[in-house]
């Protein structure tokens, strides 16, 4: 039996960290296809990794900040024009220690703390999911993390 037969969708599972410090949000600036864009610390969930572990790892790798998850902001299902589909899990949290000497993962060029209005007016977003997750965070309280379940080796 084929894993990807007719009518089946292959979904890329990604995470994003939503970190607010007052009115400012932790974002990263990336160089993608010759242009600079803004994203949250985000990336793919690796094999053997939980969604929470992926959010912590991606935040450290892309911003040099330690990340402590606090709640679930939302799930974002995004079919791309090129046929790919992303399911992004946005996790709210706070940061702890910062290592300014740490090299950031390519294609990240810098981490910034920016206000929502600055993001909307002055920067290009990597995807429509960036501002949507921030808006959802501002509109409602994150859900408890126990809404996320990691099931291994289920019968």
């Amino acid at each position: 039996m084929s894993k990807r037969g007719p009518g089946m969708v292959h979904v890329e599972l990604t995470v994003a960290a939503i970190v607010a410090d007052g009115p400012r949000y932790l974002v990263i600036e990336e160089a993608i296809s010759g242009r600079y864009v803004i994203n949250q610390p985000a990336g793919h969930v690796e094999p053997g990794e939980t969604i929470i572990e992926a959010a912590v790892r991606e935040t450290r790798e892309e911003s040099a900040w330690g990340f402590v998850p606090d709640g679930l902001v939302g799930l974002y299902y995004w079919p791309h024009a090129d046929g790919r589909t992303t399911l992004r899990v946005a996790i709210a949290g706070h940061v702890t220690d910062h290592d300014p000497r740490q090299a950031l993962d390519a294609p990240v060029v810098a981490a910034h703390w920016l206000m929502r209005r600055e993001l909307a007016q002055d920067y290009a977003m990597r995807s429509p999911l960036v501002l949507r997750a921030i808006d959802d965070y501002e509109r409602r309280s994150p859900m408890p993390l126990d809404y996320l379940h990691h099931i291994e080796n289920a019968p």
Side-chain angles (χ1 to χ4, degrees), residues 23-74:
R24 300 176 313 144
Y25 290 90
L26 175 62
V27 294
I28 57 159
E29 183 177 4
E30 301 174 296
I32 305 290
S33 301
R35 57 189 279 253
Y36 291 94
V37 294
I38 295 293
N39 199 1
Q40 281 100 9
H44 290 87
V45 177
E46 301 293 334
E49 185 174 54
T50 69
I51 289 168
I52 298 296
E53 290 167 346
V56 170
R57 176 185 52 76
E58 289 289 354
T59 304
R60 174 64 76 185
E61 290 175 354
E62 294 189 350
S63 72
W65 284 95
F67 177 65
V68 178
D70 296 324
L72 174 64
V73 174

CSV table of all heavy atoms in Angstrom, one decimal, residues 23-74:
chain,number,residue,atom,x,y,z
A,23,PRO,N,4.6,44.7,24.5
A,23,PRO,CA,4.0,44.9,23.1
A,23,PRO,C,4.9,44.3,22.0
A,23,PRO,O,4.6,44.3,20.9
A,23,PRO,CB,3.9,46.4,23.0
A,23,PRO,CG,5.0,46.9,23.8
A,23,PRO,CD,5.1,46.0,25.0
A,24,ARG,N,6.1,43.8,22.4
A,24,ARG,CA,7.1,43.4,21.4
A,24,ARG,C,7.1,41.8,21.3
A,24,ARG,O,6.9,41.1,22.3
A,24,ARG,CB,8.5,43.8,21.7
A,24,ARG,CG,8.6,45.4,21.8
A,24,ARG,CD,10.0,45.8,22.2
A,24,ARG,NE,10.4,45.1,23.4
A,24,ARG,CZ,11.7,44.7,23.6
A,24,ARG,NH1,12.6,45.0,22.8
A,24,ARG,NH2,12.0,44.1,24.8
A,25,TYR,N,7.3,41.4,20.1
A,25,TYR,CA,7.4,39.9,19.8
A,25,TYR,C,8.8,39.5,19.3
A,25,TYR,O,9.4,40.3,18.6
A,25,TYR,CB,6.4,39.5,18.7
A,25,TYR,CG,5.0,39.6,19.2
A,25,TYR,CD1,4.3,40.8,19.1
A,25,TYR,CD2,4.4,38.6,19.9
A,25,TYR,CE1,3.0,40.9,19.6
A,25,TYR,CE2,3.1,38.7,20.3
A,25,TYR,CZ,2.4,39.8,20.2
A,25,TYR,OH,1.1,39.9,20.7
A,26,LEU,N,9.2,38.4,19.8
A,26,LEU,CA,10.5,37.8,19.3
A,26,LEU,C,10.2,37.3,17.9
A,26,LEU,O,9.4,36.4,17.7
A,26,LEU,CB,11.0,36.7,20.2
A,26,LEU,CG,12.2,35.9,19.7
A,26,LEU,CD1,13.4,36.8,19.7
A,26,LEU,CD2,12.5,34.7,20.7
A,27,VAL,N,11.0,37.8,16.9
A,27,VAL,CA,10.9,37.3,15.5
A,27,VAL,C,12.3,37.1,15.0
A,27,VAL,O,13.3,37.7,15.6
A,27,VAL,CB,10.1,38.3,14.6
A,27,VAL,CG1,8.6,38.4,15.0
A,27,VAL,CG2,10.7,39.7,14.6
A,28,ILE,N,12.4,36.4,13.9
A,28,ILE,CA,13.7,36.2,13.3
A,28,ILE,C,13.6,36.8,11.9
A,28,ILE,O,12.5,36.9,11.3
A,28,ILE,CB,14.1,34.7,13.2
A,28,ILE,CG1,13.0,33.9,12.5
A,28,ILE,CG2,14.3,34.2,14.7
A,28,ILE,CD1,13.6,32.6,12.0
A,29,GLU,N,14.8,37.3,11.4
A,29,GLU,CA,14.9,37.8,10.1
A,29,GLU,C,15.7,36.7,9.3
A,29,GLU,O,16.7,36.3,9.7
A,29,GLU,CB,15.6,39.1,10.1
A,29,GLU,CG,15.7,39.7,8.7
A,29,GLU,CD,16.4,41.1,8.8
A,29,GLU,OE1,16.8,41.5,9.9
A,29,GLU,OE2,16.5,41.8,7.7
A,30,GLU,N,15.1,36.3,8.1
A,30,GLU,CA,15.7,35.3,7.3
A,30,GLU,C,16.0,35.8,5.9
A,30,GLU,O,15.2,36.6,5.4
A,30,GLU,CB,14.8,34.1,7.2
A,30,GLU,CG,14.4,33.4,8.5
A,30,GLU,CD,13.4,32.3,8.3
A,30,GLU,OE1,12.2,32.6,7.8
A,30,GLU,OE2,13.7,31.2,8.5
A,31,ALA,N,17.1,35.3,5.3
A,31,ALA,CA,17.3,35.6,3.9
A,31,ALA,C,16.9,34.4,3.1
A,31,ALA,O,17.4,33.3,3.1
A,31,ALA,CB,18.8,35.8,3.7
A,32,ILE,N,15.7,34.6,2.4
A,32,ILE,CA,15.1,33.5,1.6
A,32,ILE,C,15.0,34.0,0.2
A,32,ILE,O,14.4,35.0,-0.1
A,32,ILE,CB,13.7,33.2,2.2
A,32,ILE,CG1,13.7,32.8,3.6
A,32,ILE,CG2,13.0,32.1,1.3
A,32,ILE,CD1,14.4,31.5,4.0
A,33,SER,N,15.6,33.2,-0.7
A,33,SER,CA,15.5,33.5,-2.2
A,33,SER,C,15.9,34.9,-2.5
A,33,SER,O,15.2,35.6,-3.3
A,33,SER,CB,14.1,33.1,-2.7
A,33,SER,OG,13.8,31.8,-2.5
A,34,GLY,N,16.9,35.4,-1.9
A,34,GLY,CA,17.4,36.8,-2.2
A,34,GLY,C,16.6,37.9,-1.5
A,34,GLY,O,16.9,39.1,-1.8
A,35,ARG,N,15.7,37.6,-0.6
A,35,ARG,CA,15.0,38.7,0.1
A,35,ARG,C,14.9,38.4,1.5
A,35,ARG,O,15.0,37.3,2.0
A,35,ARG,CB,13.6,38.9,-0.5
A,35,ARG,CG,12.7,37.7,-0.5
A,35,ARG,CD,11.4,38.0,-1.3
A,35,ARG,NE,10.4,38.7,-0.5
A,35,ARG,CZ,9.3,38.2,0.0
A,35,ARG,NH1,9.0,36.9,-0.2
A,35,ARG,NH2,8.5,38.9,0.7
A,36,TYR,N,14.8,39.5,2.3
A,36,TYR,CA,14.8,39.4,3.8
A,36,TYR,C,13.3,39.4,4.2
A,36,TYR,O,12.5,40.2,3.8
A,36,TYR,CB,15.5,40.5,4.4
A,36,TYR,CG,17.0,40.4,4.2
A,36,TYR,CD1,17.6,41.1,3.1
A,36,TYR,CD2,17.8,39.6,5.0
A,36,TYR,CE1,19.0,41.0,2.9
A,36,TYR,CE2,19.2,39.5,4.8
A,36,TYR,CZ,19.7,40.2,3.7
A,36,TYR,OH,21.1,40.0,3.5
A,37,VAL,N,13.0,38.4,5.0
A,37,VAL,CA,11.6,38.2,5.5
A,37,VAL,C,11.6,37.9,7.0
A,37,VAL,O,12.6,37.5,7.6
A,37,VAL,CB,10.9,37.1,4.8
A,37,VAL,CG1,10.7,37.4,3.3
A,37,VAL,CG2,11.6,35.7,4.9
A,38,ILE,N,10.5,38.1,7.6
A,38,ILE,CA,10.3,37.9,9.1
A,38,ILE,C,9.5,36.7,9.3
A,38,ILE,O,8.5,36.4,8.6
A,38,ILE,CB,9.6,39.2,9.7
A,38,ILE,CG1,10.5,40.4,9.6
A,38,ILE,CG2,9.2,38.9,11.1
A,38,ILE,CD1,11.7,40.4,10.4
A,39,ASN,N,9.8,36.0,10.4
A,39,ASN,CA,9.1,34.7,10.8
A,39,ASN,C,9.2,34.7,12.3
A,39,ASN,O,10.0,35.4,12.9
A,39,ASN,CB,9.8,33.5,10.1
A,39,ASN,CG,8.9,32.3,10.1
A,39,ASN,OD1,7.8,32.3,10.6
A,39,ASN,ND2,9.5,31.2,9.6
A,40,GLN,N,8.5,33.8,12.9
A,40,GLN,CA,8.7,33.5,14.3
A,40,GLN,C,9.8,32.4,14.3
A,40,GLN,O,10.1,31.8,13.2
A,40,GLN,CB,7.5,32.8,14.9
A,40,GLN,CG,6.4,33.8,15.4
A,40,GLN,CD,5.3,33.8,14.4
A,40,GLN,OE1,5.2,33.1,13.4
A,40,GLN,NE2,4.4,34.8,14.6
A,41,PRO,N,10.5,32.2,15.4
A,41,PRO,CA,11.3,31.0,15.5
A,41,PRO,C,10.5,29.8,15.2
A,41,PRO,O,9.5,29.6,15.8
A,41,PRO,CB,11.8,31.0,16.9
A,41,PRO,CG,11.7,32.4,17.4
A,41,PRO,CD,10.5,33.0,16.7
A,42,ALA,N,10.8,29.1,14.1
A,42,ALA,CA,9.9,28.1,13.6
A,42,ALA,C,10.7,27.1,12.8
A,42,ALA,O,11.8,27.3,12.3
A,42,ALA,CB,8.8,28.7,12.8
A,43,GLY,N,10.1,25.9,12.6
A,43,GLY,CA,10.7,24.9,11.8
A,43,GLY,C,9.9,23.6,11.9
A,43,GLY,O,8.9,23.4,12.6
A,44,HIS,N,10.5,22.6,11.2
A,44,HIS,CA,9.9,21.2,11.1
A,44,HIS,C,10.1,20.5,12.4
A,44,HIS,O,11.2,20.6,13.1
A,44,HIS,CB,10.5,20.4,10.0
A,44,HIS,CG,10.1,21.0,8.6
A,44,HIS,ND1,10.7,22.0,8.0
A,44,HIS,CD2,9.0,20.6,7.9
A,44,HIS,CE1,10.1,22.2,6.8
A,44,HIS,NE2,9.1,21.4,6.7
A,45,VAL,N,9.2,19.6,12.7
A,45,VAL,CA,9.3,18.7,13.8
A,45,VAL,C,10.1,17.5,13.3
A,45,VAL,O,9.8,16.9,12.2
A,45,VAL,CB,7.9,18.2,14.3
A,45,VAL,CG1,8.1,17.1,15.4
A,45,VAL,CG2,7.1,19.3,14.8
A,46,GLU,N,11.2,17.2,14.0
A,46,GLU,CA,12.1,16.2,13.5
A,46,GLU,C,11.6,14.8,14.0
A,46,GLU,O,10.9,14.7,15.0
A,46,GLU,CB,13.5,16.4,14.1
A,46,GLU,CG,14.2,17.7,13.7
A,46,GLU,CD,14.5,17.8,12.2
A,46,GLU,OE1,14.7,16.8,11.6
A,46,GLU,OE2,14.5,19.0,11.7
A,47,PRO,N,12.0,13.7,13.3
A,47,PRO,CA,11.6,12.4,13.7
A,47,PRO,C,12.1,12.1,15.2
A,47,PRO,O,13.2,12.5,15.6
A,47,PRO,CB,12.4,11.4,12.7
A,47,PRO,CG,12.6,12.3,11.5
A,47,PRO,CD,12.8,13.7,12.0
A,48,GLY,N,11.2,11.5,16.0
A,48,GLY,CA,11.5,11.2,17.4
A,48,GLY,C,11.3,12.4,18.3
A,48,GLY,O,11.6,12.2,19.5
A,49,GLU,N,10.9,13.5,17.8
A,49,GLU,CA,10.8,14.7,18.6
A,49,GLU,C,9.3,15.1,18.9
A,49,GLU,O,8.5,14.9,18.0
A,49,GLU,CB,11.5,15.8,17.8
A,49,GLU,CG,11.6,17.2,18.5
A,49,GLU,CD,12.4,18.1,17.6
A,49,GLU,OE1,12.1,18.3,16.4
A,49,GLU,OE2,13.4,18.7,18.1
A,50,THR,N,9.0,15.6,20.0
A,50,THR,CA,7.6,16.0,20.3
A,50,THR,C,7.5,17.4,19.7
A,50,THR,O,8.5,18.1,19.4
A,50,THR,CB,7.3,16.0,21.8
A,50,THR,OG1,8.0,17.1,22.4
A,50,THR,CG2,7.5,14.7,22.4
A,51,ILE,N,6.2,17.9,19.6
A,51,ILE,CA,6.0,19.2,19.1
A,51,ILE,C,6.6,20.2,20.1
A,51,ILE,O,7.2,21.2,19.7
A,51,ILE,CB,4.4,19.4,19.0
A,51,ILE,CG1,3.9,18.6,17.8
A,51,ILE,CG2,4.1,20.9,18.9
A,51,ILE,CD1,2.4,18.5,17.7
A,52,ILE,N,6.5,20.0,21.4
A,52,ILE,CA,7.0,20.9,22.4
A,52,ILE,C,8.6,21.0,22.3
A,52,ILE,O,9.2,22.0,22.3
A,52,ILE,CB,6.6,20.5,23.8
A,52,ILE,CG1,5.1,20.6,24.0
A,52,ILE,CG2,7.3,21.4,24.9
A,52,ILE,CD1,4.5,22.0,23.8
A,53,GLU,N,9.2,19.8,22.2
A,53,GLU,CA,10.6,19.7,22.0
A,53,GLU,C,11.1,20.5,20.8
A,53,GLU,O,12.1,21.2,20.8
A,53,GLU,CB,11.1,18.3,21.9
A,53,GLU,CG,11.0,17.5,23.3
A,53,GLU,CD,11.1,16.0,23.1
A,53,GLU,OE1,11.1,15.5,22.0
A,53,GLU,OE2,11.3,15.4,24.2
A,54,ALA,N,10.3,20.4,19.7
A,54,ALA,CA,10.7,21.1,18.4
A,54,ALA,C,10.6,22.6,18.6
A,54,ALA,O,11.5,23.3,18.2
A,54,ALA,CB,9.8,20.6,17.3
A,55,ALA,N,9.6,23.1,19.3
A,55,ALA,CA,9.5,24.5,19.6
A,55,ALA,C,10.6,25.0,20.4
A,55,ALA,O,11.2,26.1,20.1
A,55,ALA,CB,8.1,24.8,20.2
A,56,VAL,N,11.0,24.3,21.4
A,56,VAL,CA,12.2,24.7,22.3
A,56,VAL,C,13.4,24.7,21.4
A,56,VAL,O,14.2,25.6,21.5
A,56,VAL,CB,12.3,23.7,23.5
A,56,VAL,CG1,13.6,24.0,24.2
A,56,VAL,CG2,11.1,23.9,24.4
A,57,ARG,N,13.7,23.6,20.7
A,57,ARG,CA,14.9,23.5,19.9
A,57,ARG,C,15.0,24.6,18.8
A,57,ARG,O,16.0,25.3,18.7
A,57,ARG,CB,15.0,22.1,19.2
A,57,ARG,CG,16.2,22.0,18.2
A,57,ARG,CD,16.1,20.7,17.5
A,57,ARG,NE,14.9,20.4,16.8
A,57,ARG,CZ,14.5,21.0,15.6
A,57,ARG,NH1,15.3,21.9,15.0
A,57,ARG,NH2,13.4,20.6,15.1
A,58,GLU,N,13.9,24.8,18.1
A,58,GLU,CA,13.9,25.8,17.0
A,58,GLU,C,14.1,27.2,17.5
A,58,GLU,O,14.8,28.0,17.0
A,58,GLU,CB,12.6,25.8,16.2
A,58,GLU,CG,12.4,24.5,15.3
A,58,GLU,CD,13.4,24.5,14.1
A,58,GLU,OE1,14.1,25.5,13.8
A,58,GLU,OE2,13.4,23.5,13.4
A,59,THR,N,13.5,27.5,18.7
A,59,THR,CA,13.7,28.9,19.3
A,59,THR,C,15.2,29.1,19.6
A,59,THR,O,15.8,30.1,19.4
A,59,THR,CB,12.8,29.1,20.5
A,59,THR,OG1,11.5,28.8,20.1
A,59,THR,CG2,13.0,30.5,21.1
A,60,ARG,N,15.8,28.1,20.3
A,60,ARG,CA,17.2,28.2,20.6
A,60,ARG,C,18.1,28.3,19.4
A,60,ARG,O,19.0,29.2,19.3
A,60,ARG,CB,17.6,27.0,21.5
A,60,ARG,CG,19.1,26.9,21.8
A,60,ARG,CD,19.6,28.0,22.6
A,60,ARG,NE,19.2,27.8,24.0
A,60,ARG,CZ,19.4,28.7,25.0
A,60,ARG,NH1,20.1,29.8,24.8
A,60,ARG,NH2,19.0,28.4,26.2
A,61,GLU,N,17.9,27.5,18.4
A,61,GLU,CA,18.7,27.5,17.2
A,61,GLU,C,18.6,28.8,16.4
A,61,GLU,O,19.5,29.2,15.8
A,61,GLU,CB,18.3,26.3,16.3
A,61,GLU,CG,18.7,24.9,16.8
A,61,GLU,CD,18.2,23.8,15.9
A,61,GLU,OE1,17.5,24.0,15.0
A,61,GLU,OE2,18.6,22.6,16.3
A,62,GLU,N,17.4,29.3,16.3
A,62,GLU,CA,17.1,30.5,15.4
A,62,GLU,C,17.2,31.8,16.1
A,62,GLU,O,17.4,32.8,15.4
A,62,GLU,CB,15.8,30.3,14.8
A,62,GLU,CG,15.7,29.1,13.8
A,62,GLU,CD,14.5,29.1,13.0
A,62,GLU,OE1,13.5,29.8,13.2
A,62,GLU,OE2,14.5,28.2,12.0
A,63,SER,N,17.1,31.9,17.5
A,63,SER,CA,17.2,33.2,18.1
A,63,SER,C,18.2,33.2,19.3
A,63,SER,O,18.5,34.3,19.8
A,63,SER,CB,15.8,33.5,18.8
A,63,SER,OG,15.5,32.6,19.9
A,64,ALA,N,18.8,32.1,19.7
A,64,ALA,CA,19.7,32.0,20.8
A,64,ALA,C,19.1,32.2,22.1
A,64,ALA,O,19.8,32.5,23.1
A,64,ALA,CB,20.9,33.0,20.6
A,65,TRP,N,17.8,32.2,22.2
A,65,TRP,CA,17.0,32.3,23.4
A,65,TRP,C,16.5,30.9,23.9
A,65,TRP,O,16.1,30.1,23.1
A,65,TRP,CB,15.8,33.2,23.3
A,65,TRP,CG,16.1,34.7,23.2
A,65,TRP,CD1,16.3,35.4,22.1
A,65,TRP,CD2,16.2,35.5,24.3
A,65,TRP,NE1,16.5,36.7,22.5
A,65,TRP,CE2,16.5,36.8,23.8
A,65,TRP,CE3,16.2,35.4,25.7
A,65,TRP,CZ2,16.7,37.9,24.6
A,65,TRP,CZ3,16.3,36.5,26.5
A,65,TRP,CH2,16.6,37.7,26.0
A,66,GLY,N,16.5,30.7,25.2
A,66,GLY,CA,15.9,29.5,25.8
A,66,GLY,C,14.4,29.8,25.8
A,66,GLY,O,14.0,30.9,26.1
A,67,PHE,N,13.6,28.8,25.5
A,67,PHE,CA,12.1,28.9,25.3
A,67,PHE,C,11.4,28.0,26.3
A,67,PHE,O,11.7,26.8,26.3
A,67,PHE,CB,11.7,28.6,23.9
A,67,PHE,CG,10.2,28.7,23.6
A,67,PHE,CD1,9.5,29.9,23.7
A,67,PHE,CD2,9.5,27.6,23.3
A,67,PHE,CE1,8.2,30.0,23.5
A,67,PHE,CE2,8.2,27.7,23.0
A,67,PHE,CZ,7.5,28.9,23.1
A,68,VAL,N,10.5,28.5,27.1
A,68,VAL,CA,9.6,27.7,28.0
A,68,VAL,C,8.2,27.9,27.5
A,68,VAL,O,7.6,28.9,27.5
A,68,VAL,CB,9.8,28.2,29.4
A,68,VAL,CG1,8.8,27.4,30.3
A,68,VAL,CG2,11.2,28.2,29.9
A,69,PRO,N,7.7,26.8,26.9
A,69,PRO,CA,6.3,26.8,26.4
A,69,PRO,C,5.3,27.0,27.5
A,69,PRO,O,5.4,26.4,28.6
A,69,PRO,CB,6.1,25.4,25.7
A,69,PRO,CG,7.5,25.0,25.5
A,69,PRO,CD,8.3,25.5,26.6
A,70,ASP,N,4.2,27.8,27.2
A,70,ASP,CA,3.2,28.1,28.2
A,70,ASP,C,1.8,27.6,27.7
A,70,ASP,O,0.9,27.4,28.6
A,70,ASP,CB,3.1,29.5,28.6
A,70,ASP,CG,4.4,30.0,29.2
A,70,ASP,OD1,5.0,29.3,30.0
A,70,ASP,OD2,4.8,31.2,28.9
A,71,GLY,N,1.5,27.7,26.4
A,71,GLY,CA,0.2,27.3,25.9
A,71,GLY,C,0.1,27.2,24.4
A,71,GLY,O,1.1,27.6,23.7
A,72,LEU,N,-0.9,26.7,24.0
A,72,LEU,CA,-1.2,26.4,22.5
A,72,LEU,C,-2.0,27.6,22.0
A,72,LEU,O,-3.1,27.9,22.4
A,72,LEU,CB,-2.0,25.1,22.4
A,72,LEU,CG,-2.5,24.8,21.0
A,72,LEU,CD1,-1.3,24.5,20.0
A,72,LEU,CD2,-3.4,23.6,21.0
A,73,VAL,N,-1.4,28.3,21.0
A,73,VAL,CA,-2.1,29.4,20.3
A,73,VAL,C,-3.0,28.9,19.3
A,73,VAL,O,-4.1,29.4,19.2
A,73,VAL,CB,-1.0,30.4,19.7
A,73,VAL,CG1,-1.7,31.5,18.9
A,73,VAL,CG2,-0.1,31.0,20.8
A,74,GLY,N,-2.6,28.0,18.4
A,74,GLY,CA,-3.5,27.5,17.4
A,74,GLY,C,-2.8,26.5,16.5
A,74,GLY,O,-1.6,26.3,16.5
